[in-house]
Amino acid sequence: MPIKAVTFDAYGTLYDIQSVSQVTELEFPSYGDLITQVWRLKQLEYTWLRTLMGKYRSFWEISEDSLVFTLRAIGLDYDDENIARIMDKYLHLDPYPDCLATLDALHGLPLSIMSNGNQEVLDTLVKNTGVFEKLDSVISIDTVQRFKPTASAYELFEKNVKVSPEETLFVSSNAFDACGAKNFGFNVAWIERVTQNALAAEIEASDIVGPSTMFKMLRMQMENFDMEPDYRLTSLSDLPKIVFA
Amino acid sequence: MPIKAVTFDAYGTLYDIQSVSQVTELEFPSYGDLITQVWRLKQLEYTWLRTLMGKYRSFWEISEDSLVFTLRAIGLDYDDENIARIMDKYLHLDPYPDCLATLDALHGLPLSIMSNGNQEVLDTLVKNTGVFEKLDSVISIDTVQRFKPTASAYELFEKNVKVSPEETLFVSSNAFDACGAKNFGFNVAWIERVTQNALAAEIEASDIVGPSTMFKMLRMQMENFDMEPDYRLTSLSDLPKIVFA
């Protein structure tokens, strides 16, 4: 079936969430990488755990909660100003180098973001980064108050874009999200930003496996779920040849 | 309200899941600790993600799936025999040193396990480790096919033991589980096996924060959920003075 629409995950897929390490390192010198990795791991955990417990808080609130968790666990002193300056980066995340050109190359199809993020945070982010004018819609799970990979989050796509999941390519570099979207019924392209071989070599070369390598193991490898995505790509720039095949 | 029953989480609370590192190290020399930490992190993730996706597999199956994920991510060659020998440890996990004496000291109240584990795996484990004869019941979430911290998992307690959550002390060293049980309505004692100060000192003393320290950050610190347990204890042996207060 031909692809009639393309939808993208935001954090980690179009936007480099590792770019927060610029500000975590500024606020807490020598702890930037540790904070960045633990924060992101806990942030996702909290979306899953709160959905399971039926106790929704928005992604912005969860991001603050998980950042505070991280600073406490490390034993760092912090104040509201530290938190505010770090959180502000979520309004100015760096798009991946392949983001804007790929969106241009896919011009003509309905293009959208499907994200856990709050609507107004996403709207601000895409405007701040030159992505807004390349998209037809920005869909937040805010309205259903259930985070991915819950079915009710993925259902929002068809309600908004009026194209069925079977005719849509869902793009994510988050393996759990790629599997969740596949399980739901989308065509799925997983962006494998760190290959298994590259990771294995990085582990092999480490005396001690540090936080960034742990993150790559935990969040950037394909899950073992029997919900394999249709495509594994190493860059967003490989998308046009699939979509226009 | 007086405590009329006590129920325990199994993995990490009565049983030391880190004791699997004995076998992971035997099977994959020099990778034992890395495997142990990543495996446990992914195992819990998979219980949450599969519950969110409505795609249940038993805890035993999930444990195998997450072990295979871990070995692949590290780039290790493995066969079914490696997997079987490692998984067998789940039938012989080491009880924590304070486990058996505490159960003895609480004798007289209905004592139970409330666990994600498969019923037959839990039954075998408690028989293999001298715990069976000290318990009144072993409750598995198998029957509802929803893992903790979902409400339907915690609901199983009252159905089985016929004591209300308000009159029960729920004991877990897993912070997400302690919060989930508190959110559900239990009295909760969280076993803080690694204090914040001890963890901060361990991080401070590390040039590179390794897998075991990452695990202590991610899984052994109180979550930032506004669902604080009623009690924070550093050992199971502090339970009798709470229960018989």
Side-chain angles (χ1 to χ4, degrees), chain A residues 31 42 45-46 50 55 65 69 72 74 183 196 199 204 209 211 217-219 222-225, chain B residues 31 42 45-46 50 55 65 69 72-74 183 196 204 211 217-219 222-225:
Chain A
Y31 291 100
K42 289 309 277 193
E45 274 188 18
Y46 281 13
R50 283 193 169 273
K55 295 284 173 174
D65 292 346
F69 169 93
R72 280 185 195 159
I74 302 176
N183 178 52
Q196 206 164 37
L199 175 61
E204 184 65 34
V209 170
M217 295 184 71
L218 291 166
R219 292 270 59 81
M222 184 38 58
E223 307 297 353
N224 187 16
F225 278 155
Chain B
Y31 291 100
K42 290 308 277 192
E45 273 187 20
Y46 281 14
R50 284 193 168 274
K55 294 285 172 172
D65 291 345
F69 169 92
R72 279 185 196 160
I74 302 175
N183 179 52
Q196 207 165 36
E204 185 64 33
M217 295 184 72
L218 292 166
R219 294 269 59 81
M222 183 40 57
E223 306 297 353
N224 187 16
F225 277 154

Side-chain angles (χ1 to χ4, degrees), chain A residues 68-209:
Chain A
V68 165
F69 169 93
T70 303
L71 299 176
R72 280 185 195 159
I74 302 176
L76 295 167
D77 289 326
Y78 62 90
D79 58 26
D80 290 350
E81 297 295 305
N82 298 124
I83 303 293
R85 282 191 297 260
I86 294 174
M87 286 297 300
D88 183 67
K89 183 66 187 176
Y90 263 85
L91 306 177
H92 305 272
L93 291 170
D94 300 3
Y96 274 107
D98 48 6
C99 168
L100 296 173
T102 300
L103 294 175
D104 282 338
L106 294 172
H107 182 75
L109 289 176
L111 303 180
S112 56
I113 279 178
M114 262 282 304
S115 169
N116 277 340
N118 301 37
Q119 188 71 54
E120 63 179 287
V121 175
L122 291 170
D123 288 345
T124 305
L125 174 65
V126 296
K127 282 175 189 156
N128 285 345
T129 52
V131 171
F132 172 74
E133 48 271 32
K134 304 186 191 299
L135 295 176
D136 297 277
S137 44
V138 175
I139 305 163
S140 163
I141 64 83
D142 247 4
T143 47
V144 291
Q145 307 209 342
R146 300 276 185 287
F147 291 103
K148 305 182 204 175
T150 317
S152 45
Y154 296 117
E155 278 166 7
L156 277 173
F157 174 79
E158 189 168 3
K159 285 181 189 156
N160 278 268
V161 180
K162 318 291 181 201
V163 179
S164 75
E166 294 76 19
E167 296 175 301
T168 301
L169 185 65
F170 187 103
V171 182
S172 184
S173 69
N174 288 292
F176 81 90
D177 186 25
C179 292
K182 184 67 203 168
N183 178 52
F184 182 78
F186 284 99
N187 299 287
V188 177
W190 175 53
I191 310 300
E192 183 181 18
R193 295 208 182 265
V194 177
T195 66
Q196 206 164 37
N197 285 344
L199 175 61
E202 184 172 317
I203 294 169
E204 184 65 34
S206 311
D207 286 332
I208 297 171
V209 170

Side-chain angles (χ1 to χ4, degrees), chain B residues 165-230:
Chain B
E166 294 77 17
E167 297 175 301
T168 300
L169 185 65
F170 187 102
V171 182
S172 184
S173 69
N174 288 292
F176 80 90
D177 186 25
C179 292
K182 184 68 204 167
N183 179 52
F184 184 77
F186 284 99
N187 299 287
V188 176
W190 176 53
I191 311 300
E192 182 180 19
R193 295 208 182 266
V194 177
T195 66
Q196 207 165 36
N197 286 344
L199 176 61
E202 184 172 317
I203 293 168
E204 185 64 33
S206 311
D207 286 332
I208 296 171
V209 171
S212 153
T213 309
M214 280 290 277
F215 185 87
K216 290 173 191 167
M217 295 184 72
L218 292 166
R219 294 269 59 81
M220 302 182 79
Q221 299 299 295
M222 183 40 57
E223 306 297 353
N224 187 16
F225 277 154
D226 275 326
M227 303 170 191
E228 286 285 298
D230 304 278

Side-chain angles (χ1 to χ4, degrees), chain A residues 57-75:
Chain A
R57 273 164 73 80
S58 77
F59 193 72
W60 186 268
E61 293 168 307
I62 279 178
S63 298
E64 288 184 327
D65 292 346
S66 50
L67 176 57
V68 165
F69 169 93
T70 303
L71 299 176
R72 280 185 195 159
I74 302 176

